[in-house]
Amino acid sequence: MTIEKIYIVRHGFRLNWISTNWTSETGLPRDPPLAAYGVTQANELAAYFLSLPAEEQPTAIFSSPYYRCLQTAKPTANDLKLPVFVEHGLSEWYSPVAPNTGLHPRPGSASSLQQHFPEIDPFTWSSIYYPSRKGEDVETVHNRAETFLRAFVPYIEHVLPLEKHRRLLLVTHAATVITLARALSGIRDLPIRAGCCTLTEFVRSTYKREDTIGIWKSLKLADGSPLSGGVLRDWGFEDIEIANGKVVDDPGVLESENELDDPVGLQIPQSKM
């Protein structure tokens, strides 16, 4: 039996959108926690998943390593009594770093994040993909989603027991929600805008093709119906700033010029995919 359903959720409403007085719990730059309203959204999402019939509920949870995503995953993990697996392939999208400004931040390992979130299981799963700290242009972040999914789906079926890999919940960021949805559907220009804690849902439409890309049917795209406040702070690639036909560069983290950009890309041998 292969994976039958994938749920994808964007993190909840961020504290730094409404206040400059916030602290990174992990010490990582650009890693704000959820606002109180974002925590409410995460709880509402958990209540929605708990209300589903048992045969529709997620059986495994994978989260971006950013604090706001782990906060979003936490209530569902507790309600469904599931661990959280940290996956860097679900990380935030940063555009290419501006020259001579260093590198973008990268969250710590699952083991280091477990001190903040005891729901994390750092032993069963190790991240299979790491985006470059040098950033990604629009095409590259779409390629990341496709490369990640082509490896992730067969590998998870190899690593996790049957009862765990049937229905996956991926907790991530707006750009990654969109690129994952486009990869699963096989439609690179699929119109979708991801709001905070909105729900995207795909079912496998065929079991005959070996490839993971383009064989999934969408049941929901960035749906806000489980949330009392509906869709808020939605984002799409049409919102990015373009200069000379390319996405505008972002500055890196101060004093990160000598840090390593490693590991990068796919981290599992081809023979295990």
Side-chain angles (χ1 to χ4, degrees):
M1 177 69 71
T2 188
I3 296 169
E4 59 192 42
K5 181 172 287 190
I6 297 177
Y7 297 104
I8 312 172
V9 168
R10 185 188 178 192
H11 61 75
F13 200 95
R14 293 163 47 163
L15 179 58
N16 67 312
W17 287 336
I18 57 174
S19 173
T20 58
N21 185 25
W22 63 273
T23 301
S24 170
E25 299 292 334
T26 62
L28 184 78
R30 306 178 197 167
D31 194 18
L34 297 179
Y37 181 66
V39 174
T40 297
Q41 289 178 312
N43 287 329
E44 289 178 336
L45 194 69
Y48 168 77
F49 284 125
L50 190 61
S51 73
L52 295 176
E55 63 273 15
E56 293 293 320
Q57 294 175 351
T59 55
I61 302 173
F62 292 81
S63 174
S64 159
Y66 281 84
Y67 196 88
R68 56 193 178 274
C69 290
L70 292 165
Q71 267 188 296
T72 302
K74 180 182 175 74
T76 298
N78 289 335
D79 284 357
L80 298 184
K81 297 179 172 55
L82 295 174
V84 174
F85 302 124
V86 172
E87 176 51 60
H88 283 252
L90 301 174
S91 288
E92 178 71 285
W93 172 53
Y94 294 115
S95 58
V97 286
N100 304 313
T101 63
L103 300 171
H104 291 306
R106 173 178 287 170
S109 66
S111 295
S112 69
L113 293 168
Q114 193 183 31
Q115 64 180 304
H116 304 286
F117 298 96
E119 296 82 6
I120 291 174
D121 176 355
F123 305 110
T124 304
W125 183 266
S126 296
S127 286
I128 66 166
Y129 193 97
Y130 289 83
S132 171
R133 294 185 62 191
K134 296 177 181 177
E136 304 162 299
D137 60 23
V138 174
E139 181 178 6
T140 306
V141 71
H142 281 81
N143 291 342
R144 185 227 297 188
E146 293 177 3
T147 301
F148 169 70
L149 286 169
R150 282 193 169 107
F152 177 68
V153 170
Y155 189 63
I156 202 172
E157 293 167 355
H158 172 75
V159 171
L160 295 187
L162 173 63
E163 67 274 11
K164 292 295 184 184
H165 72 233
R166 288 186 174 180
R167 296 175 298 277
L168 309 182
L169 170 58
L170 312 182
V171 184
T172 183
H173 310 262
T176 320
V177 168
I178 295 168
T179 55
L180 289 170
R182 288 175 172 177
L184 290 169
S185 67
I187 305 171
R188 271 261 179 141
D189 58 353
L190 180 73
I192 173 174
R193 295 181 61 84
C196 293
C197 259
T198 53
L199 177 63
T200 295
E201 181 179 345
F202 279 89
V203 292
R204 188 183 284 263
S205 60
T206 175
Y207 290 89
K208 296 181 180 179
R209 286 178 52 187
E210 294 182 0
D211 196 2
T212 309
I213 305 304
I215 62 168
W216 300 79
K217 177 184 177 182
S218 63
L219 301 182
K220 300 179 189 293
L221 287 177
D223 177 55
S225 60
L227 309 171
S228 59
V231 177
L232 291 176
R233 198 83 184 199
D234 60 314
W235 184 93
F237 276 97
E238 58 270 25
D239 297 330
I240 62 176
E241 187 178 355
I242 299 290
N244 299 319
K246 295 183 179 180
V247 61
V248 173
D249 293 345
D250 275 339
V253 175
L254 188 66
E255 299 182 352
S256 64
E257 292 84 356
N258 296 321
E259 295 179 7
L260 294 177
D261 182 25
D262 185 68
V264 172
L266 204 57
Q267 302 298 304
I268 54 177
Q270 191 74 22
S271 60
K272 291 188 178 182
M273 292 165 53

